[in-house]
Structure formats: structure tokens, C-alpha cells
Amino acid sequence: MIYGVTKPTVLFVCVHNAGRSQMAAGYLEALAGDRVEVLSAGSQPKDRINPVAVEAMAEEGIDIAGRAPKVLTVDAVRESDVVITMGCGDACPIFPGKRYEDWQLDDPAGQGIDAVRVIRDDIRSRIETLIDQIAPAQIPA
């Protein structure tokens, strides 16, 4: 599915908005640039980003250290074209006409860097597929 003239908005939602959703948002911003608007939120946000997630993303040259977990709002879902959940259960409101995906990913909370790298790499692969679907690179004429 390719979205129209306006750039699509993607919302990543997980429970704490401190690991998976932040890594996904970081990748989408880094890989899609200004072709996509990126949001992330959590149903029960933590006080800070998981430091191991920050470390894993820094290895990829992506800095998510300055981000802060945010609470999921109905408005964030309403404003989004694509909503990707990552283990947040039924906390995410459903609106007609939106694309919803649930990514089954391990929670990086309490895990070491080796385990978080596996999660990070899985997220990157999914983000690359998502970009191809919603915001493919324009080929010059």
C-alpha cells in the first residue's frame, strides 16, 4: 500500500515505550527520513528509555538517548495511518480505515545487549519492509 501525496504517519505502541517502540521509531526516522511522520507511545510508559536499547541503537549509529517515553492517547491513534503494536494487548483503540499490525517481539526489558541486538535486528528488518510498502524511495525520472 502506497500512501498519497501526504506523508504517512506511523505510530509504534508497546507497553513501556522504552525499548521496542523507541527502537522502531529510531529506525524508521533514520531509514525513511522525511518521507514518514513517526510517533511512539506506551500504554504504561516508563520514566526513561531502556539504556540497553539505547546502546544497541548507538551501535547502528542511531541516537535514541534523548527520547522520553510517552503515554498512548486516542488522538495519536486517530492521527496515524499505520499503527504497529508490540505486545500492548487491548490498550490500543481501533479506528476504521487505519492499517494495524501486531509485531510479536521479545521485550528487551531486563535483557542483556546480546539479546537486545537480536530484537533490534528483527525490528530493522520489519522497518525496511514497512518502508517499501508505505514510503518507497522515489526513482528520478
Side-chain angles (χ1 to χ4, degrees):
M1 167 185 339
I2 298 175
Y3 292 83
V5 177
T6 61
K7 62 183 171 180
T9 299
V10 178
L11 170 63
F12 295 102
V13 182
C14 67
V15 176
H16 298 130
N17 191 222
R20 295 168 288 190
S21 56
Q22 294 286 355
M23 289 191 290
Y27 266 131
L28 186 55
E29 288 170 351
L31 299 176
D34 63 359
R35 295 180 310 203
V36 178
E37 187 71 32
V38 182
L39 305 171
S40 71
S43 54
Q44 299 171 9
K46 289 284 192 188
D47 294 332
R48 65 187 181 106
I49 304 297
N50 178 334
V52 183
V54 171
E55 179 184 351
M57 293 302 287
E59 292 176 352
E60 295 282 291
I62 300 171
D63 182 7
I64 62 170
R67 298 170 186 254
K70 298 176 200 74
V71 69
L72 175 64
T73 65
V74 171
D75 286 341
V77 178
R78 186 180 292 122
E79 295 168 10
S80 299
D81 300 297
V82 180
V83 179
I84 297 176
T85 58
M86 304 171 183
C88 69
D90 296 329
C92 194
I94 304 293
F95 289 98
K98 310 248 177 246
R99 174 178 169 172
Y100 290 88
E101 292 184 26
D102 184 47
W103 291 358
Q104 299 295 315
L105 297 162
D106 289 337
D107 189 344
Q111 303 230 32
I113 188 66
D114 290 337
V116 174
R117 284 181 185 126
V118 172
I119 298 165
R120 175 201 66 198
D121 294 347
D122 187 1
I123 290 170
R124 181 181 180 125
S125 175
R126 293 169 190 252
I127 291 296
E128 289 170 344
T129 299
L130 180 67
I131 291 168
D132 287 345
Q133 295 170 349
I134 68 168
Q138 299 297 316
I139 300 171

